[in-house]
Structures are given as structure tokens and as C-alpha cells.
Amino acid sequence: MTTQTSINPATGDIIKQYSVHTDAQVGQIITQSHNCYQEWKNVPVTERAKALLRVNDVLLKNKDAYAKLISEEMGKPFKESISEVEKCALAARYFAEKGPEFLADAHVKTEYRKSYVAYRPIGIILGVMPWNFPFWQVFRFALPSLMAGNVGILKHASNTPGCALAIASVFKEAGLPEHAFQSLLIPGSRVADVIADPRIAAVTLTGSTPAGRSVAASAGQHLKKTVLELGGSDPYLILADADIEHAIKTCGASRLNNCGQSCVSAKRLIVVESLREKFEQGILKIFESAKQGNPLDAATTLGPMSRADLRDEIHDQVERSIKGGARLLTGGKNPGGKSAFYPPTILTGVKKGMVAYEEEMFGPVAVIIPAKDEEDAIRIANDTVFGLGGAVFSKDLDRAEKIARDRVESGACFVNMMVRSDPRLPFGGVKQSGYGRELAAFGIHEFVNIKTIVVA
């Protein structure tokens, strides 16, 4: 591969082609990052915080241009792209304000004259990032890493090279050292060689479970730490005493956000039998009222999927689910063509053994799984290899909280609202959804040397 091609998924037209970095250029970029780290690690934390505040300013100043780029490269509606850029700016402010506190020495009372924990940077953090939130996924690893005194190198998804280069330019425009954050334009097949470079200190990946296994194997071979945020098949439990209208609205919005291409989307809608029929009717109205079209059109509420091959892949899952016994309520027809549009689709009556029950559905497909009662709903929720997020809908807040806290096996579980990432809260999964945490104090501490200092 000598080029990466940016294709507009709404039209199938080529936006631009970018030259892939050669091995020599990759080596030069790593050298530049390594040299930059030698200086950046010694910059006072208060000065790093000021730099992140400037990142916030750059993002907000140019948010329309960045949002247009996101919408053109991966297809989400412009309004959603604006929100994504604004969320990145919010995170920049958050880590600028809280970073000094998170990185302050933690004193421990002992018999020694002085004993404490210092949080010291470790070097170059390689981020292998996906296309579905092409700015947010990157900034949520880059901001805490840079705040901690590390530097970053980004290997972005091959269909969002424009976003990759734009993100690197944000940090440069904000006045960070020229090579504090750089983007590599290389295919996934060359990531292992980058990980093997002794100057790469650690790797963070957001992507599929197979990609996580590959990166973890490469990093493990070289004894380098990883944080993996992988696939998810989030269960949303609608219990018998749920506010059904609120549950319908929330689940519908979660499933169609970003055309269903979110790791924490409402992928498995587990509904107790007494509410199933009303829930199906409500979700059907939401899906049939979605306005699919040009992402840059203000009237559009649902854009295309990010690539035509991904559209074909989820259509194949839908067809195999129907053959396995699932019932189609709406959608389910592949329009084909160069563009990547796929209609909002609802499968119901989904049971164990069906494709829609077992596999992650990464697109605008709602999967409704009936449950006999609350205990059955909890059993179904945990009957998966994934464990990223989950949600519980019930008017009994104490009971719902206990189920969320103690019963649902996931890295996060929300009560009466959709799962989402928040800079103030740690984000990550269990089981085959990965390990490690991003965001909050937990995220900034993932890629530092937690160093014990004792003075006798």
C-alpha cells in the first residue's frame, strides 16, 4: 500500500489520497518524538496545563472545519460531529484543570523521613485508533498522555487520514512542541514493527477484539504496557416497572447515534415480556421517523455507515439472523451502490444461538431480546463474551442501582440513561471488551511510572 484513500461514505466519491509513510519516514517520526520527549517531560505540569487550555481554544475556534471533515470522511451528521469536537475541547479543559492534582505527589505516612508516590512520564505512547469517533477517540488518549509529560504518535484508521493529520495540526497550532504529537499514515499490517521499536513505551488501542489480541501479542512480546478498549454488545435491561416511554426514547437515541457505530450503543435491548409489544411499537416509530441523508444537511438525523463493506457486513448479519428465526420489523434491505447507507433495522424475537444474539452488531440495527422476568433479563445481559457498558431501566432506583453495581458484568452501567463516556469518569471494559481505563485520574495514571520515593 502506497496511498490511503479518503472516501465520502455518503457518495462513494474519493475526497483525497494521501501518501503512506515509508519505513524511513516512520523511523524519522519516532526519532523526532523521542527527542521531543526528552524536553517535554521536564516542562512543569502547570505549563503543560496551559498548553491544553490552548488546545481547547484551537478546537473551538476551528470546530466547524473539523466537524465538516469528520462528516465527510466517516459520515456522521454534522450536528453530531460538532458535538464530538466540543467534547474534545471539554476534555482538554478538564485535564488542564485537574491534571496538576492527578499528577501531584501522593505522600504516604511511614517511619521514614519522607515517603511518597511520584507520577513520572514514560515516553512515547502509540495510539491505534478507529474511525467511528475519529477525533474523540484520539483526544481521550492524547490529552492525559501529554498532560502527564508523555508524547504521542497516532496510527489512525486508514479511512480517516484527513482527521489524523488535522488532529496533529491542532496540537501544533496550540503551541505544543512541534513533535509532541504526530500521525503515522501506515496500514495496520505495519503496526507490529512500530510497537517493536524500543523507543515506543506503551500502546493504547480502541478497536475490535481481534485487533486487540494482535496488538496485545505484539506489545507483550516486547514487554510493553497496553490499554485496550475493544468491542461491546451492551445490554439495556428494560424491567417491568420501567418508564416505558423514557426507555423507548433513550434506547432509540442510543442505537441510532453515529448510525449505531458506537462501542457503547444499545446493542441488545432486553425487554421483559410484559412490556415487549409496547416497546417494539415505540422503537419502530423512532426508527421509521429517522431522516437518512447527506450528513451535511441540517435535516439529516442519520448518516451513512462509514464504509460500504461495513454496510454489507452488517446486512449479512441481519440476513443470517432472520434465517435463524429472528423477526424483521423494519429495514433489512441493502440499497447497495457506492454509498454506505443502510436503513434503520429492527430484529425482534432474538434468542440464544442467533447471530444477532451472539455477535456485536455495529450499525443501525436494534436487537430486541425478550426476557421472562428480571432475573432472566440479568442472565441474558451477562450471557456474552463482551463487557463494556450496560444500562438498567426501572422506576425503583435503589433496586436498579444494585443491579447495575453488583449484577451486570461490565466496565460501566448506567441507570435510566444511555451509556456514554465522560472525561470525569473512567472508561473501559471487562471480558473480551478489553482492559485498562481511559479518562479521569485512572486514565492519566495508566501511562506513567508510579514511582516510590523514600528518604531515610
Side-chain angles (χ1 to χ4, degrees), residues 15 32 82 98 136-137 143 148 155 170 178-179 186 192 214-215 229 239 250 268 272 283 287 379 406 431 437 441:
I15 300 172
Q32 291 168 339
I82 285 285
K98 301 294 288 186
W136 172 240
Q137 304 279 16
L143 293 167
K155 188 284 174 207
V170 169
E178 184 179 3
H179 302 123
I186 58 172
S214 176
V215 163
E229 193 264 277
L239 305 183
T250 305
R268 293 180 297 138
V272 295
I283 288 289
F287 272 49
R379 178 191 63 78
D406 300 332
K431 299 197 278 191
R437 292 295 180 264

Side-chain angles (χ1 to χ4, degrees), residues 244-274:
I244 188 64
E245 297 300 333
H246 173 71
I248 289 168
K249 181 179 179 181
T250 305
C251 292
S254 174
R255 195 65 193 105
L256 293 182
N257 179 52
N258 203 31
C259 202
Q261 300 167 121
S262 169
C263 296
V264 290
S265 178
K267 302 230 173 70
R268 293 180 297 138
L269 305 173
I270 304 168
V271 189
V272 295
E273 188 57 43
S274 61

Side-chain angles (χ1 to χ4, degrees), residues 1 41 100 121 150 155 157 164 167 177 192 274 304 324 337 360 373 385 402 405 412 419:
M1 178 187 288
K41 68 180 180 181
N150 299 310
K155 188 284 174 207
I167 291 168
S274 61
E360 178 180 19
D373 52 28
V385 299
K402 184 170 180 57
R405 184 185 188 278
V419 183

Side-chain angles (χ1 to χ4, degrees), residues 126 186-197 214-215 218-219 221-222:
L126 172 65
I186 58 172
S189 59
R190 291 171 58 191
V191 168
D193 292 336
V194 178
I195 294 173
D197 190 294
S214 176
V215 163
S218 296
Q221 183 180 357
H222 300 284

Side-chain angles (χ1 to χ4, degrees), residues 175-232:
L176 275 77
E178 184 179 3
H179 302 123
F181 192 90
Q182 300 189 84
S183 287
L184 293 178
L185 299 186
I186 58 172
S189 59
R190 291 171 58 191
V191 168
D193 292 336
V194 178
I195 294 173
D197 190 294
R199 295 167 295 181
I200 299 295
V203 190
T204 179
L205 174 137
T206 298
S208 68
T209 299
R213 288 195 183 101
S214 176
V215 163
S218 296
Q221 183 180 357
H222 300 284
L223 293 178
K224 295 181 181 180
K225 184 173 183 179
T226 52
V227 167
L228 304 178
E229 193 264 277
L230 308 178

Side-chain angles (χ1 to χ4, degrees), residues 2-315:
T2 57
T3 61
Q4 286 186 353
T5 304
S6 175
I7 297 175
N8 186 328
T11 63
D13 296 334
I14 293 176
I15 300 172
K16 188 175 179 179
Q17 289 189 317
Y18 299 82
S19 296
V20 168
H21 287 123
T22 65
D23 288 343
Q25 288 173 319
V26 170
Q28 182 182 25
I29 288 170
I30 295 174
T31 296
Q32 291 168 339
S33 295
H34 179 71
N35 292 338
C36 180
Y37 168 65
Q38 305 308 316
E39 297 181 9
W40 182 246
K41 68 180 180 181
N42 294 318
V43 172
V45 69
T46 52
E47 293 302 311
R48 292 184 223 144
K50 291 176 183 176
L52 263 58
L53 288 176
R54 295 195 298 271
V55 169
N56 163 78
D57 295 340
V58 172
L59 285 166
L60 294 180
K61 181 181 72 172
N62 301 320
K63 67 179 179 180
D64 285 0
Y66 297 143
K68 184 172 183 288
L69 176 60
I70 292 170
S71 293
E72 288 179 339
E73 276 206 318
M74 62 73 57
K76 74 177 63 181
F78 183 73
K79 180 173 65 175
E80 292 183 17
S81 298
I82 285 285
S83 295
E84 180 173 341
V85 178
E86 290 176 341
K87 190 171 184 177
C88 296
L90 174 68
R93 290 198 304 276
Y94 173 78
F95 281 107
E97 292 167 358
K98 301 294 288 186
E101 173 189 330
F102 294 154
L103 296 168
D105 294 346
H107 290 268
V108 179
K109 188 174 181 180
T110 66
E111 69 272 27
Y112 307 115
R113 183 186 305 246
K114 186 184 291 186
S115 50
Y116 61 95
V117 177
Y119 301 104
R120 302 299 303 149
I122 57 175
I124 303 172
I125 311 302
L126 172 65
V128 183
M129 294 291 122
W131 44 262
N132 58 332
F133 291 91
F135 264 56
W136 172 240
Q137 304 279 16
V138 176
F139 277 90
R140 75 186 196 192
F141 103 80
L143 293 167
S145 295
L146 290 164
M147 186 67 217
N150 299 310
V151 297
I153 290 180
L154 167 65
K155 188 284 174 207
H156 217 326
S158 296
N159 61 320
T160 53
C163 288
L165 297 176
I167 291 168
S169 74
V170 169
F171 293 105
K172 188 173 181 180
E173 186 176 340
L176 275 77
E178 184 179 3
H179 302 123
F181 192 90
Q182 300 189 84
S183 287
L184 293 178
L185 299 186
I186 58 172
S189 59
R190 291 171 58 191
V191 168
D193 292 336
V194 178
I195 294 173
D197 190 294
R199 295 167 295 181
I200 299 295
V203 190
T204 179
L205 174 137
T206 298
S208 68
T209 299
R213 288 195 183 101
S214 176
V215 163
S218 296
Q221 183 180 357
H222 300 284
L223 293 178
K224 295 181 181 180
K225 184 173 183 179
T226 52
V227 167
L228 304 178
E229 193 264 277
L230 308 178
S233 191
D234 285 13
Y236 278 45
L237 289 71
I238 295 86
L239 305 183
D241 67 341
D243 180 336
I244 188 64
E245 297 300 333
H246 173 71
I248 289 168
K249 181 179 179 181
T250 305
C251 292
S254 174
R255 195 65 193 105
L256 293 182
N257 179 52
N258 203 31
C259 202
Q261 300 167 121
S262 169
C263 296
V264 290
S265 178
K267 302 230 173 70
R268 293 180 297 138
L269 305 173
I270 304 168
V271 189
V272 295
E273 188 57 43
S274 61
L275 296 178
R276 181 186 56 79
E277 187 174 344
K278 188 171 185 179
F279 185 85
E280 287 177 355
Q281 293 171 352
I283 288 289
L284 183 61
K285 287 180 182 178
I286 290 175
F287 272 49
E288 290 186 337
S289 66
K291 293 179 173 59
Q292 198 162 27
N294 182 349
L296 298 180
D297 187 334
T300 295
T301 62
L302 188 70
M305 294 185 66
S306 286
R307 298 197 312 260
D309 64 307
L310 298 172
R311 173 204 62 198
D312 296 342
E313 186 178 302
I314 198 165
H315 181 64

